[in-house]
Amino acid sequence: MNKNAKDRLIFALDVDDFDQARYWVQTLKDNVGVFKIGKQLFTRCGPEVVKMVVDQGADVFLDLKYHDIPNTVAKAAIEATRLGVRIFNVHALGGAQMMRTAVTEVEAYCRQVGCPRPQMLAVTILTSSDQATLTEIGIERPLEDMVVRLARLAQAAGCDGVVASPKEAALIHAACGDGFAIVTPGVRPAFAAQDDQKRIMTPADAIAAGATALVIGRPISAAADPLAAAGQILAEISAALGG
Ligand code: C5P
């Protein structure tokens, strides 16, 4: 098993309350390295839920997609860092200055307190948006051009990577190169249902297309044996990385 595979499997903690979140971390932490906490769980439970995951020895991806004036995003990013998250994200549509200010201030904070800097990812265009959504808000460029443009902008502003559809991974990898993280939801192993995801790929195909980590929820949580399902996905990631 590739030793990095576990850090590339991110479980989406899409649950309603603290107890369910704790149940999933306890159940899965042997096969899952990172737990994604999004707006619902964070709004319900607050920083305590981040602390719970960290206390169990797992990493947190705080998926709050910050998008605000540069100073506000930078201050929120420092608070995320203070909580001990390993990954957090911002909207690239907030612009280069917003992203650069956040990276610079988080770096300065980490130097000051002597902690590792979390990975800062950018969301390019949400996969729930299509060309009509862009037109609606006055963007006439092709959606794929926008995704690549925003990924490049995020990279130039100092972000460590992007969150993107696996279908966009190859384009982004070609534009931004190795070493730029591409974290992809919309991944479905062969054994799982498609659910409401429309543009899916298997874990192996997503890694082959350039994804560096996978966000997976229901294929694990809805499985008869969730830990075993996570183990199967881990083995697939590991094999795709070359064992
Ligand atoms: O259960 P499932 O594997 O579909 O969960 C995927 C997770 O990734 C969910 O938390 C979902 O909100 C998130 N996500 C997504 N598509 C995006 C961005 C995030 O499915 N474009």
Side-chain angles (χ1 to χ4, degrees):
M1 181 79 71
N2 184 294
K3 66 177 172 17
N4 295 322
K6 195 174 147 186
D7 289 334
R8 295 171 188 267
L9 178 54
I10 304 174
F11 178 71
L13 273 175
D14 291 329
V15 295
D16 297 336
D17 64 40
F18 191 92
D19 288 345
Q20 289 180 61
R22 187 172 44 204
Y23 166 79
W24 283 115
V25 179
Q26 280 167 350
T27 303
L28 297 174
K29 66 182 178 182
D30 286 344
N31 283 343
V32 172
V34 186
F35 291 84
K36 182 173 85 70
I37 296 175
K39 288 189 172 89
Q40 181 193 4
L41 187 60
F42 192 78
T43 303
R44 171 83 180 243
C45 300
E48 278 304 301
V49 75
V50 175
K51 192 168 174 297
M52 176 275 291
V53 178
V54 173
D55 286 349
Q56 293 203 52
D59 285 324
V60 173
F61 170 12
L62 190 62
D63 179 21
L64 297 181
K65 302 186 182 71
Y66 299 132
H67 186 175
D68 210 313
I69 61 171
N71 181 60
T72 300
V73 169
K75 297 296 182 247
I78 289 172
E79 293 308 326
T81 306
R82 208 193 296 279
L83 289 177
V85 310
R86 166 143 168 261
I87 308 170
F88 69 93
N89 58 2
V90 300
H91 267 286
L93 283 167
Q97 195 199 339
M98 184 198 83
M99 293 187 275
R100 200 172 299 116
T101 306
V103 173
T104 308
E105 294 206 12
V106 166
E107 261 168 11
Y109 171 80
C110 292
R111 259 198 313 276
Q112 190 193 328
V113 304
C115 70
R117 181 171 75 75
Q119 260 198 334
M120 178 166 134
L121 304 180
V123 175
T124 58
I125 300 292
L126 289 169
T127 51
S128 52
S129 298
D130 58 14
Q131 197 66 47
T133 320
L134 296 190
T135 303
E136 196 176 76
I137 57 171
I139 298 173
E140 303 296 345
R141 279 170 180 269
L143 189 145
E144 288 187 341
D145 287 5
M146 282 302 296
V147 168
V148 169
R149 182 191 177 103
L150 290 169
R152 285 206 174 107
L153 189 72
Q155 186 175 38
C159 287
D160 301 292
V162 289
V163 183
S165 154
K167 302 278 182 188
E168 294 159 355
L171 269 180
I172 295 169
H173 183 250
C176 299
D178 290 336
F180 191 62
I182 304 174
V183 175
T184 61
V187 176
R188 286 293 178 268
F191 65 78
Q194 186 168 341
D195 302 309
D196 54 358
Q197 296 285 8
K198 294 199 173 64
R199 301 194 304 142
I200 54 170
M201 270 198 195
T202 65
D205 287 345
I207 298 278
T212 55
L214 313 178
V215 176
I216 301 188
R218 287 162 294 179
I220 294 174
S221 62
D225 183 342
L227 183 64
Q232 249 178 289
I233 295 169
L234 210 53
E236 195 171 330
I237 294 173
S238 186
L241 292 171

